[in-house]
Amino acid sequence: MVSPSAQTVLNRLKSFVHARTMQDHWKTYQVFHENVRWDAPPILLNGREKLRVVAYFAKRITKLDFTEHAVRLERSKDGVQQVSTDLTFIITLLPELLHLPKIKVNATVNLGVTDDFQTVSLYASHWTGYK
């Protein structure tokens, strides 16, 4: 069973992933710390504003959904709370009318979160397989 704190941060992340309009991005990107470090293929960047803009434009050509498995709560050596989880991403290339194949990516994701589990300061992803 996933702890309520970890589920809260995962739900906030899922809301950001599902946001389609710029207005929805403004509402949901607050889940990220102002100086968030995003390290996930193919994007490496620092800063919430950059992430919001990149995510908004990436969503013009893709639709993303994910399912979490095996969620773990940990505290790193430097005292930062971490939510680690195995995710399955389903990436759909747009427009869907072209019936392009969906890409399924398995990844291990580490989220560095604040002690109250409201803000993500690190998103690090490592792909473990794809089809």
Side-chain angles (χ1 to χ4, degrees):
M1 183 168 145
V2 179
S3 81
S5 300
Q7 192 61 56
T8 298
V9 77
L10 288 171
N11 287 343
R12 293 187 73 201
L13 185 62
K14 204 172 261 196
S15 294
F16 177 76
V17 166
H18 290 154
R20 299 303 294 169
T21 66
M22 185 56 83
Q23 184 177 3
D24 289 342
H25 276 82
W26 275 104
K27 291 177 189 175
T28 60
Y29 89 116
Q30 300 298 329
V31 68
F32 297 105
H33 186 273
E34 183 178 319
N35 296 317
V36 64
R37 178 169 174 84
W38 184 275
D39 184 1
I43 300 168
L44 172 62
L45 54 81
N46 291 312
R48 181 171 61 190
E49 285 299 319
K50 292 176 188 173
L51 176 60
R52 181 181 58 83
V53 172
V54 167
Y56 179 75
F57 285 112
K59 290 178 185 182
R60 300 301 101 207
I61 59 169
T62 63
K63 185 169 83 176
L64 180 67
D65 198 7
F66 69 84
T67 306
E68 63 271 1
H69 316 279
V71 178
R72 300 166 298 282
L73 285 175
E74 302 166 353
R75 189 169 288 276
S76 68
K77 294 174 191 169
D78 56 358
V80 176
Q81 287 272 32
Q82 288 194 332
V83 176
S84 298
T85 183
D86 297 325
L87 298 179
T88 300
F89 292 100
I90 304 294
I91 303 167
T92 306
L93 299 174
L94 299 177
E96 291 182 84
L97 295 173
L98 296 178
H99 300 291
L100 297 170
K102 293 183 179 186
I103 303 166
K104 185 176 180 180
V105 175
N106 295 316
T108 299
V109 174
N110 293 315
L111 302 172
V113 295
T114 55
D115 285 333
D116 62 359
F117 287 89
Q118 295 300 309
T119 309
V120 175
S121 59
L122 170 69
Y123 181 101
S125 175
H126 173 67
W127 288 10
T128 57
Y130 62 91
K131 315 185 208 186

